[in-house]
Amino acid sequence: MSGLKREPYLILVFLLICSNVFGQVPIDPGDPPNPSAIPDFYRSKLTAIDQEVNLVEKGKVRVIATSPGGFPVYAVLYGEKENFPSQANYNSAVAARDPGYYAGKDSSSKPVVFFLGPVHGQEVEGIVGMINLIHVAETGRDYRDQEWSSLQKKLEQCRVIIVPCGNPDGRRRCPYDSFVGMPVEIMTKYGQGTRTDGSSWGWPGAKSLHPMKGNVGILGAYFNDEGINMMHDDWFSPMAAETEAILDLARSEAPDMTVSLHSHHHTSRILPANYVPWFMKMRIDSLTRTLNQRYASGGLPSLPEDWISPPVVEDQSYPPKASFNLISALHHVSGTMAFTFECSHGTVTADEPEPSVTYGNILDIQLNLYEEMLDYILENSLY
């Protein structure tokens, strides 16, 4: 395996397996058990990430950070890194009215694409996608043995950075490996956590205490072991080593496009960034619409066209309602076309008792997203 020595790595895997056994939040009596009929291709555990990076031959593997819980944050890199001429950071280059001072790219430059796996540990769908994407890059097939040769070829035309999981602490604590068919309240309970009295922090309440320390019953998988939600770190002085490593990776790689993989209990879709230039919002809007059309034509759950809201200027009223989050920060350190992707968990509610997606749907949603991203950036690079 590139970048790691095998014997220490095997010891690390053993330690990680032990940590997964002893560090997981126990499921409360009366809550549903972890699903037992999860198909083999649906690989969402930290041990599955360890196994996958150990198989990497075409790419290079780096450990970019160590979590507070002692877990590695991996980056898998494909394609040679180009040394773009650079004489300023992105912010200063924009002030000089030419982003090329930060990264001088031309029509011969390969697009750089950054796939950031979940920074919320219960949003396991992105881990499934990342593991299968690495397998496609290596073999041309996903773990269902379904061919994705076109996706593999497009990956080969780019510099690709894959972080399978941005928050291994949160993933390790999450006792569920899938939420397909699970009550949405269970996902919320173990994902966003509870207070000491057992009440749910919920959304957006889980963002009202940060770091998440003190009035905490279950520390939700949103957070690393220090209670940091990487989506809402302190960008001028990051509290989490994972956040700092993610921003450093973007700064050094100058990605043309970056996706941060998340999940929710609604139909899968792209969410735009806040506090980024209007032209970038329009680019993301264009990708949002072509991706949604791809899902519709492929028989995957999609949004009605009139449900896709056009870009808007941030709300000018008090109090402010749009945060400058990790997605915004990624743009402002690198100029990248950054956005959030929310994949459907497949959770159920009293009003919608049947899951909206299957395990296979979720993997197809992920892999089709990646291919649509590559299609877009290969045709629409900025120089």
Side-chain angles (χ1 to χ4, degrees), residues 207-226:
K207 303 180 184 186
S208 66
L209 177 64
H210 196 258
M212 181 58 73
K213 295 182 178 181
N215 187 11
V216 178
I218 293 174
L219 177 59
Y222 245 44
F223 311 94
N224 71 8
D225 281 2
E226 290 295 325

Side-chain angles (χ1 to χ4, degrees), residues 341-356:
F341 179 76
E342 295 277 3
C343 184
S344 191
H345 275 300
T347 52
V348 298
T349 66
D351 294 331
E352 298 175 330
E354 295 297 324
S356 60

Side-chain angles (χ1 to χ4, degrees), residues 311-373:
V312 295
V313 175
E314 276 76 30
D315 191 335
Q316 300 298 305
S317 64
Y318 184 85
K321 302 171 184 65
S323 70
F324 187 99
N325 63 14
L326 177 60
I327 312 307
S328 313
L330 283 163
H331 169 79
H332 285 279
V333 301
S334 68
T336 187
M337 177 180 166
F339 54 89
T340 298
F341 179 76
E342 295 277 3
C343 184
S344 191
H345 275 300
T347 52
V348 298
T349 66
D351 294 331
E352 298 175 330
E354 295 297 324
S356 60
V357 290
T358 65
Y359 291 110
N361 288 159
I362 289 172
L363 181 52
D364 284 333
I365 286 167
Q366 293 284 330
L367 293 175
N368 276 277
L369 164 69
Y370 311 153
E371 187 157 29
E372 193 64 41
M373 288 173 57

